[in-house]
């Protein structure tokens, strides 16, 4: 929290129009266009919603195949499963939880429609390789950029490279509104339809701009847009964007510096940022040598009053999806599911507390 959230919520209430696509929604859209350079964006109620919009926009039909990493959140998959897609899970790199760009091509079949990339921990996937594979096979690329605000691939903001991108403002992310998200549209073929799907399948936005004289039901859609109260909260965060981001990046750097000697211990990994990528201070993790060591580290930290948590379980092994993937072996994904642990990283984290966390981690390994 930055302290300005209640001020803007109060103002949204005073303005008297708190449904979607109001004053603060426009302010947020303008911020993203002017400050980050997104060409077209729409706030949504969640990143999950933005991914569902993406699945509708790229025309996913029952039986289509969609390639994505197994090491991700369920929403990445569910949005496409809801349209009838079959998910083809890909492995991570051995030294980076992101999708291994080198294994994508062999997973493509005549039924493949799209590749969904997830910039894990806000670190870019290998987008040149992925866009090249997608272009050669005529596939759509959707960036699940839930964790990737303010992060870059070779100087390009993440979320501007695929055909569509989805961001999250869930309270666990860098910039928050409780629940919240955003669809970014990079391909102008989707502009008009995105706005219609967003507004329950109506051309209400065009009506309010005076482009049509009545609004009607013109397509499928849902209520994907957030209330202006949510947008007001988000705007308070956006006004403090640099402040939040510099603090989070500093905390990330401090962990990286403070723990860098651990990478000389056998089988312990720290985050690796490829040359083409940046770190946006979203999350800092360690990869332990096995699940037993990770459990021991988590309970050692807990005894010191520090709450550290693991992250995704492999989606290809989840109870809901295992039948379709029972014979797939994705060993790097399984390694991150078993061995990765996240250290506390949030805007209000005090420097003295971070020093204690670093000490506690080092004591464990010593
Ligand atoms: C947080 C997250 C989501 C879901 O975001 P919501 O805004 O909670 O719907 C999806 N994908 C990834 C990779 C995430 O980290």
């Amino acid at each position: 929290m930055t302290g300005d959230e209640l001020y803007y919520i109060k103002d949204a209430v005073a303005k008297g129009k708190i449904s979607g696509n109001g004053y603060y929604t426009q302010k947020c859209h303008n911020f993203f266009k002017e400050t980050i350079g997104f060409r077209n964006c729409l706030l949504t109620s969640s990143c999950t919603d933005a991914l569902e919009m993406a699945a509708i926009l790229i025309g996913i039909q029952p039986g289509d195949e969609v390639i994505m990493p197994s090491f991700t959140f369920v929403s990445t998959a569910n949005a496409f499963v809801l349209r009838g897609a079959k998910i083809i899970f890909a492995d991570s790199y051995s030294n980076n939880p992101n999708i291994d760009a080198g294994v994508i091509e062999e997973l493509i079949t005549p039924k493949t429609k799209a590749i969904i990339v997830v910039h894990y921990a806000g670190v870019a996937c290998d987008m040149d390789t992925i866009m090249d594979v997608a272009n050669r096979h005529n596939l759509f690329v959707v960036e699940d950029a839930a964790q990737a605000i303010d992060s870059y691939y070779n100087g390009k903001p993440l979320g501007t490279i695929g055909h569509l991108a989805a961001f999250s403002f869930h309270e666990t992310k860098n910039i928050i509104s409780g629940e919240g998200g955003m669809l970014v549209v990079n391909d102008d073929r989707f502009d008009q339809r995105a706005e219609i799907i967003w507004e329950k399948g109506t051309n209400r936005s065009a009506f309010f701009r005076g482009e049509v004289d009545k609004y009607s039901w013109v397509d499928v859609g849902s209520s994907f847009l957030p209330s202006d109260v949510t947008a007001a909260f988000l705007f308070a965060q956006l006004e403090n964007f640099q402040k939040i981001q510099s603090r989070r990046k500093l905390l990330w750097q401090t962990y990286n510096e403070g723990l860098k000697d651990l990478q000389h211990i056998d089988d312990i990994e720290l985050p690796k940022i490829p040359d083409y990528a940046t770190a946006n201070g979203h999350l800092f993790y360690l990869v332990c040598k096995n699940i037993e060591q990770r459990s021991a580290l988590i309970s050692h930290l807990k005894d010191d009053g520090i709450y550290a948590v693991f992250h995704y379980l492999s989606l290809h092994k989840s109870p809901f999806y295992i039948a379709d993937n029972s014979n797939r072996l994705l060993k790097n994904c399984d390694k991150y599911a078993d061995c990765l642990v996240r250290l506390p990283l949030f805007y209000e984290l005090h420097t003295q507390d971070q020093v204690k966390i670093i000490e506690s981690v080092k004591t464990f390994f010593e």
Side-chain angles (χ1 to χ4, degrees), residues 46-273:
S46 62
C47 178
T48 303
D49 268 1
L51 289 164
E52 287 178 23
M53 286 182 71
I56 297 171
L57 282 166
I58 64 174
I60 296 292
Q61 302 289 327
D64 287 347
E65 292 180 3
V66 172
I67 299 169
M68 66 179 64
S70 177
F71 193 69
T72 184
F73 188 57
V74 290
S75 293
T76 320
N78 253 334
F80 297 87
V81 170
L82 276 169
R83 316 298 314 164
K86 176 173 185 210
I87 308 300
I88 308 297
F89 288 112
D91 208 357
S92 303
Y93 290 107
S94 62
N95 65 355
N96 174 339
N98 280 340
I99 189 166
D100 180 344
V103 304
I104 293 175
E105 196 148 21
E106 67 207 36
L107 299 174
I108 294 174
T109 73
K111 291 184 179 164
T112 308
K113 190 82 180 256
I115 303 167
I116 319 303
V117 300
V118 179
H119 305 298
Y120 183 75
V123 177
C125 294
D126 181 358
M127 292 311 290
D128 279 350
T129 305
I130 292 163
M131 295 310 290
D132 175 61
V133 173
N135 290 335
R136 281 189 286 106
H137 294 271
N138 208 12
L139 306 175
F140 290 113
V141 173
V142 177
E143 295 178 68
D144 180 340
Q147 308 175 10
I149 197 84
D150 194 30
S151 204
Y152 293 81
Y153 171 82
N154 280 337
K156 280 186 223 152
L158 297 185
T160 64
I161 304 167
H163 298 84
L164 296 161
F167 285 89
S168 176
F169 306 119
H170 185 264
E171 74 168 8
T172 51
K173 304 303 199 284
N174 290 28
I175 302 292
I176 63 175
S177 61
E179 302 282 349
M182 180 169 66
L183 179 77
V184 174
V185 182
N186 298 318
D187 183 327
D188 60 11
R189 286 176 294 175
F190 296 124
D191 283 343
Q192 204 185 359
R193 195 161 178 239
E195 195 179 69
I196 288 167
I197 290 167
W198 189 58
E199 279 269 30
K200 299 133 185 133
T202 73
N203 54 356
R204 190 168 181 268
S205 301
F207 173 70
F208 279 115
R209 284 195 301 268
E211 294 165 15
V212 289
D213 59 6
K214 55 183 178 303
Y215 81 84
S216 44
W217 184 17
V218 294
D219 203 336
V220 296
S222 190
S223 188
F224 287 121
L225 68 182
S227 140
D228 222 46
V229 177
T230 299
F233 188 109
L234 182 64
F235 186 69
Q237 294 261 313
L238 294 178
E239 277 217 318
N240 291 284
F241 190 88
Q242 290 311 337
K243 205 164 117 194
I244 295 170
Q245 280 302 94
S246 2
R247 179 69 189 150
R248 293 191 73 112
K249 286 176 188 168
L250 177 67
L251 291 165
W252 193 96
Q253 291 296 351
T254 307
Y255 277 133
N256 205 38
E257 269 303 300
L259 296 171
K260 67 171 189 278
D261 289 342
L262 295 182
Q263 68 201 346
H264 303 303
I265 305 176
D266 272 353
D267 300 323
I268 304 298
E269 290 171 37
L270 296 188
K272 287 205 182 53
I273 311 296

